[in-house]
């Protein structure tokens, strides 16, 4: 799985949503306080930031262009992303046995679940009704390309692989480093 799927932009992003759902389930399946929760939270962060940046670069501009009166909807989705990122930044420095760790994961899950439902129930149908099939295919290809510039997430079957927060140069937190990397912003 990972960054590459196929199909149009809606199929592509919907598959990302299901992968994120599965990561929440895997986190919850680990014993409370287990370091695997921390490692899976890093994977979740990589997936969510990669997905959010791809949506911000291609999906929301397309919504503004093709869907009538959709600016406020696009603005709301971007604000949802900001809220999730603030939670992920709070989460990134905490170990699995931190008193706030599980509560923050639950807050991220609630915010992401509401955002996903909103996109799948409202935004995607509006986009599908407003764009040609070819436009949706082209957007799917752009989103796939955008996600491929992200660092590979740690592989669950390779326990020696460093967690995602070791993949990129140290400095700012994982969320900021990922976002800088994905948007091509220079690191300071
Ligand atoms: Fe999404």
């Amino acid at each position: 799985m990972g960054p590459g799927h196929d199909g149009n932009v809606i199929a592509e992003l919907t598959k990302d949503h299901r992968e994120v759902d599965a990561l929440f389930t895997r986190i919850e399946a680990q014993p409370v306080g287990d370091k695997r929760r921390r490692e899976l939270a890093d994977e979740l962060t990589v997936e969510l930031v990669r997905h959010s940046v791809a949506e911000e670069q291609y999906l929301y501009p397309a919504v503004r262009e093709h869907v009538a009166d959709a600016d406020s909807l696009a603005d709301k989705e971007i604000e949802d992303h900001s809220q999730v990122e603030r939670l992920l930044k709070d989460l990134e420095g905490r170990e699995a046995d931190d008193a706030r760790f599980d509560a923050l994961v639950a807050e991220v899950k609630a915010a992401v679940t509401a955002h996903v439902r909103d996109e799948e129930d409202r935004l995607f149908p509006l986009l599908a009704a407003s764009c040609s099939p070819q436009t949706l295919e082209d957007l799917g290809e752009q989103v796939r390309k955008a996600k491929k510039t992200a660092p590979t997430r740690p592989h669950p079957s390779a326990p020696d692989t460093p967690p995602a927060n070791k993949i990129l140069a140290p400095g700012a937190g994982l969320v900021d480093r990922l976002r800088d990397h994905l948007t091509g912003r220079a690191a300071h």
Side-chain angles (χ1 to χ4, degrees), residues 35-51:
K35 69 175 173 40
R36 280 292 290 159
R37 285 195 178 217
R38 177 65 264 169
E39 293 165 10
L40 289 164
D42 285 343
E43 280 192 46
L44 178 75
T45 299
V46 172
E47 288 300 313
L48 283 174
V49 175
R50 169 158 51 199
H51 176 83

Side-chain angles (χ1 to χ4, degrees), residues 6-26:
D6 53 14
N8 72 28
V9 66
I10 292 169
E12 177 74 24
L13 295 173
T14 301
K15 282 182 205 163
D16 284 355
H17 292 166
R18 296 296 84 78
E19 287 189 354
V20 167
D21 291 345
L23 271 169
F24 282 116
T25 302
R26 286 174 63 203

Side-chain angles (χ1 to χ4, degrees), residues 4 16 89 95 110 114 122 180:
D16 284 355
K89 282 184 201 178
E95 295 302 325
R122 285 209 297 162
D180 284 351

Side-chain angles (χ1 to χ4, degrees), residues 69-102:
D69 302 321
D71 278 340
S72 63
L73 186 53
D75 289 344
K76 182 202 173 292
E77 307 291 0
I78 289 169
E79 177 49 37
D80 287 349
H81 285 180
S82 303
Q83 185 207 353
V84 169
E85 283 199 14
R86 285 193 293 274
L87 292 169
L88 290 173
K89 282 184 201 178
D90 195 353
L91 182 63
E92 73 184 7
R94 298 177 188 272
E95 295 302 325
D97 58 3
D98 184 293
R100 284 278 293 145
F101 182 90
D102 290 321

Side-chain angles (χ1 to χ4, degrees), residues 13 17 51 55 60 81 115-116 119 124:
L13 295 173
H17 292 166
H51 176 83
E55 287 189 337
Y60 305 140
H81 285 180
H115 173 68
V116 159
E119 284 194 344
F124 290 171

